[in-house]
Amino acid sequence: MENLIGRAKMGMIVGKWGQYKTFLSLDMAVALAGQSPWPVLVDENCKHFDVPKALRVLYLAAEGGAAESHQRNEAALQNRRKIDCELVSGNFVLAAASAPLDTTTGQHAIVDVIERATKQMGGSPEVIFCDTLAKSMAGEENSNTDM
């Protein structure tokens, strides 16, 4: 996905409530962890973004709690039948984490989650997804001043 996601960059998936942003981001995360091409529709044609190597992915699920997050993860994995599940499981950590990133306490909590994920994956995460912004900050996600 080199032409879609840059190294050492931050990006956002935005849209109205109920537009499958979580499913989209989970699907992307699983593709990155499993070195699986990621299909997207472009002008009514399916295009695949190649994933040249499997990456260590940490998915911080702040929305819906742990049980709902794991259900979404399973749905994303079932949707991608052609992936190497063993490769994904070694490179992918789904952590239920709802800590405000704009507070010192929240930042320390997220650092702890990242350190645990690093041990679990055998290396630092190369990609971190944070879902959802509204649950990860104290301000208003639709406000220019809070963003």
Side-chain angles (χ1 to χ4, degrees):
M1 289 187 221
E2 293 177 4
N3 294 329
L4 185 62
I5 301 173
R7 292 196 181 275
K9 303 290 181 191
M10 186 178 96
M12 293 177 68
I13 298 172
V14 296
K16 294 180 182 176
W17 178 87
Q19 297 297 309
Y20 300 98
K21 298 177 300 293
T22 294
F23 189 83
L24 176 74
S25 60
L26 268 170
D27 192 59
M28 185 185 294
V30 169
L32 289 168
Q35 194 178 354
S36 174
W38 191 64
V40 293
L41 282 177
V42 178
D43 299 326
E44 298 182 14
N45 296 308
C46 190
K47 178 179 181 177
H48 288 83
F49 287 94
D50 289 328
V51 179
K53 74 173 197 114
L55 300 174
R56 291 182 301 275
V57 178
L58 171 59
Y59 195 97
L60 301 172
E63 184 175 56
E68 185 177 331
S69 297
H70 285 289
Q71 288 173 346
R72 289 178 179 178
N73 181 38
E74 288 301 315
L77 285 171
Q78 288 174 6
N79 189 49
R80 305 185 125 274
R81 290 177 184 78
K82 296 181 180 177
I83 62 169
D84 182 341
C85 289
E86 193 171 305
L87 182 62
V88 170
S89 66
N91 288 322
F92 182 79
V93 171
L94 178 78
S98 182
L101 299 174
D102 53 350
T103 68
T104 303
T105 304
Q107 292 164 5
H108 288 295
I110 294 302
V111 167
D112 289 343
V113 171
I114 292 170
E115 288 174 350
R116 286 194 307 271
T118 297
K119 289 178 186 173
Q120 189 173 338
M121 292 187 284
S124 297
E126 296 165 285
V127 181
I128 299 175
F129 286 81
C130 182
D131 182 20
T132 175
L133 183 61
K135 302 282 186 185
S136 302
M137 60 179 272
E140 168 59 43
E141 66 181 317
N142 296 316
S143 166
N144 288 338
T145 56
D146 288 342
M147 290 300 295

